[in-house]
């Protein structure tokens, strides 16, 4: 079937109302979990070929998050999709009011390469849970994962309901030229703009999960040992190719030396030189490898800076003596390079960040509540953590998404259900009583009465 035929078939299928049944949604979510479980090994192999990602990291940062979203959806879908009674205002007396969640219809999910399994299935779970049909377009960059995802989904699910279309810009453009009821895009800010423009032509609502430079504050009163531990894990996970990874460090001048020693120690502990390959991923392709190595000025290397083109390996690298004007501060790094900027005036760095694009995430390592709250209050960003990084996205009770240049809309847990639903407002009136005040012919007396009642 070609793309047009698949979309048409999904439109027809949605109109049968089958996906609106909660029982159907539950059965499909259960099936998805089963299919993923049965195919874990081929998924592990595919992601290893694409990114050199270990089974451990694939489970913790991809599969376990999907299973968690499925389990939560299975538990809550009945409650989330129920109509909710709300109060009725005086002007409508006597009446009942309720909100009826309904699926939007036909949805499209476009995914990136950096978490090629999780970022396909987490939004798909939300869309299925809300009662939509789904077309998934995985990233062509992680070609092994894309192939496996297409195989396991297309062999196990009805095309009319859930289908994977592989491809690159050509296929994505064809998909974007069609009218969907929701487009969920995860990827770069530049392609986000293309998606948004294409969606606008059809007035299709979008969720854009984009990137950005996520600042990480290290204030003088932080617990240095714990800071280094959590920071090194979150930055070098997936070799820094994580949308919410700390992009750069802002460290208080007084503690810069101790901070750098703590970070160095922690990297040596986590990624010992003799068996680094077991726990550390490759750079996705040569073009990203070249882009990243050009971002490492020799004179700024405090730690690391080793690379191997053939293996697409760049060691965890710390750069010092960096200022906001350096090249590395121009765009999202998306790799294992961590520039460190020192500061002695918190207000000044906050002011600098305010003038930049709104980040996807922001992290604050400190025990000083006043300063933590100051940063939280003054800076706008998608999500964040205090004395931690990245882990906020594993809590489904927190909406996950960006703001401004880092995206729009959010998902995970109930927020995902809401992202793929329309909330239909209904006023239900009985016929046994009607006040004549709102009807013509109008009169001063009626207006006076209305004013007394409504003001
Ligand atoms: P990308 O924007 O290059 O690609 C994403 C998807 O868009 C792919 O499926 C690709 O095939 C498609 N695409 C690429 N160019 C296109 C075009 N011209 N027209 C139509 N479709 C096109 O992003 P990427 O390199 O795969 O991923 C990295 C980016 O994604 C980073 O900026 C990262 O921060 C961001 N990201 C964000 C999140 C989040 O949750 N906010 C998560 C992961 C990655």
């Amino acid at each position: 079937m070609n793309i047009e035929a698949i979309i048409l078939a999904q439109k027809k299928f949605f109109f049968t109302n089958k996906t609106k049944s909660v029982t159907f949604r539950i059965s499909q979510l259960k099936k998805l979990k089963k299919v993923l479980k049965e195919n874990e090994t081929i998924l592990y192999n595919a992601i290893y070929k694409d990114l050199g990602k270990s089974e451990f990291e694939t489970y913790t940062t991809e599969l376990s998050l999907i299973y968690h979203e499925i389990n939560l959806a299975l538990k809550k879908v009945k409650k989330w999709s129920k109509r909710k009674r709300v109060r009725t205002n005086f002007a409508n007396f006597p009446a009942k009011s309720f909100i009826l969640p309904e699926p939007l219809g036909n949805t499209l999910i476009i995914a990136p390469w950096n978490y090629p399994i999780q970022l396909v299935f987490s939004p798909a779970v939300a869309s299925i849970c809300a009662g939509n049909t789904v077309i998934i377009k995985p990233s062509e960059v992680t070609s092994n994962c894309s192939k496996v995802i297409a195989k396991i989904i297309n062999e196990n699910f009805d095309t009319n309901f859930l289908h994977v279309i592989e491809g690159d810009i050509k296929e994505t453009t064809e998909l974007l030229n069609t009218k969907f009821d929701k487009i969920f895009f995860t990827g770069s800010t530049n392609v986000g703009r293309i998606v948004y423009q294409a969606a606008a032509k059809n007035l299709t609502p979008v969720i854009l999960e984009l990137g950005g430079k996520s600042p990480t504050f290290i204030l003088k009163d932080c617990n240095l040992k714990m800071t280094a531990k959590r920071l090194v894990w979150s930055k070098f996970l997936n070799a820094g190719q994580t949308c919410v990874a700390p992009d750069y460090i802002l460290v208080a001048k007084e503690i810069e030396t101790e901070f750098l020693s703590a970070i160095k120690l922690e990297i040596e502990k986590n990624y010992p030189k003799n068996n680094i390959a077991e726990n550390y991923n490759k750079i996705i392709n040569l073009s990203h490898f070249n882009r990243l190595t050009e971002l490492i000025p020799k004179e700024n290397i405090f730690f690391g800076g080793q690379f191997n083109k053939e293996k697409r390996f760049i060691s965890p690298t710390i750069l010092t003596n960096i200022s906001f004007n350096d090249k590395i501060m121009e765009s999202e790094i998306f790799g294992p390079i961590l520039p460190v900027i020192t500061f002695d005036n918190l207000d000044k760095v906050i002011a600098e960040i305010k003038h930049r694009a709104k980040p996807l995430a922001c992290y604050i390592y400190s025990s000083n509540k006043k300063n933590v709250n100051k940063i939280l209050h003054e800076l706008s960003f998608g999500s964040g953590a205090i004395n931690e990084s990245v882990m906020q996205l594993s809590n489904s009770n927190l909406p996950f998404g960006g703001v401004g240049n880092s995206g729009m809309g959010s998902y995970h847990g109930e927020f995902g259900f809401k992202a793929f639903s329309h909330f239909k407002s209904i006023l239900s009136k009985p016929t046994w009583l009607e006040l004549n005040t709102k009807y013509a012919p109008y009169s001063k007396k009626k207006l006076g009465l209305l004013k007394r009642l409504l003001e």
Side-chain angles (χ1 to χ4, degrees), residues 90-91 93-94 433-439 453:
F90 186 68
F93 178 81
L433 177 72
E434 184 62 316
L435 306 172
N436 277 326
T437 32
K438 74 180 180 201
Y439 296 100
L453 289 172

Side-chain angles (χ1 to χ4, degrees), residues 109-115 119 137-142 167-173 176 184-192 194-195 208-212 241-244 284 288 332 334 360 393 400-402 406-407 411-412:
I109 292 166
I110 305 172
W113 54 262
N114 64 327
Y115 286 85
L119 295 172
K137 211 298 285 171
S139 172
E140 73 285 10
V141 178
T142 30
D168 51 27
I169 297 179
K170 182 179 159 280
E171 287 76 11
T172 319
T173 307
L176 288 172
F184 187 104
F185 171 81
T186 309
S188 60
T189 302
N190 282 342
V191 180
I194 297 172
V195 171
L208 300 178
E209 297 281 344
L210 311 176
Q241 302 165 113
T242 302
C243 57
V244 283
I284 184 66
H288 277 282
E332 183 184 18
F334 222 54
L360 181 60
L393 70 78
F400 180 70
S406 57
Y411 72 129
H412 286 185

Side-chain angles (χ1 to χ4, degrees), residues 1 115-116 118 173-174 180 225 246-247 273 330 409 415 431:
M1 257 206 262
Y115 286 85
Q118 195 239 119
T173 307
E174 197 178 337
F180 282 92
K225 208 170 159 208
D247 186 271
K273 277 198 182 124
E330 282 169 11
F415 302 98
T431 52

